[in-house]
Amino acid sequence: MSNVKDSKAIAVKILSKEFQVTCPAGTEEQLHEAAFYLDQKMKEIRRSGRVIGLERIAMMAALNISHELLSFRQQKEADAQTVNKRIQRLQNKIDTALMVDTTSKNEKN
């Protein structure tokens, strides 16, 4: 767990407002990237004109980003399952090839 001594206050700008946010030392760049991403999402929502009010814009941005995260997690899980199935098929082929090779060597002896 991060210690207060290891934390650093960083200024980020979201929708032209500056916020001071504390983050663990060494993660400042990630925080800036996250703030930039959030700022872009909130600007998109504000430009659409369908959502009025900073609080509602922030809520919609949070929901959209959460949806993206969950979609990526689901895709990652599906990809991992696909890779595991391919590995299992390859392992089965290798095992079969080794058995055939071992069997043919034993028959020759």
Side-chain angles (χ1 to χ4, degrees):
M1 177 135 0
S2 192
N3 188 328
V4 175
K5 293 177 185 177
D6 296 335
S7 297
K8 193 170 183 182
I10 301 294
V12 296
K13 212 171 208 179
I14 299 172
L15 289 183
S16 302
K17 291 186 180 188
E18 191 168 294
F19 298 91
Q20 291 292 321
V21 183
T22 303
C23 67
T27 63
E28 298 88 359
E29 185 61 33
Q30 291 171 323
L31 177 61
H32 281 291
E33 288 178 21
F36 179 79
Y37 189 74
L38 176 59
D39 183 54
Q40 295 304 305
K41 290 296 183 181
M42 290 179 71
K43 284 177 180 175
E44 281 177 27
I45 292 166
R46 184 174 61 185
R47 274 193 302 269
S48 77
R50 291 180 282 167
V51 180
I52 307 296
L54 192 57
E55 196 172 285
R56 287 179 184 246
I57 290 171
M59 179 63 72
M60 290 304 299
L63 286 171
N64 289 342
I65 292 168
S66 296
H67 180 261
E68 287 177 16
L69 174 64
L70 292 174
S71 294
F72 282 129
R73 282 183 178 172
Q74 289 172 347
Q75 186 60 51
K76 179 182 169 187
E77 181 63 32
D79 291 346
Q81 288 177 4
T82 299
V83 168
N84 286 335
K85 285 178 184 176
R86 286 182 181 170
I87 290 171
Q88 187 60 50
R89 282 196 306 267
L90 287 171
Q91 186 64 50
N92 290 342
K93 285 181 180 182
I94 291 168
D95 290 345
T96 300
L98 289 174
M99 271 195 243
V100 168
D101 187 50
T102 304
T103 304
S104 66
K105 282 183 182 178
N106 286 340
E107 289 175 358
K108 289 180 182 178
N109 292 333

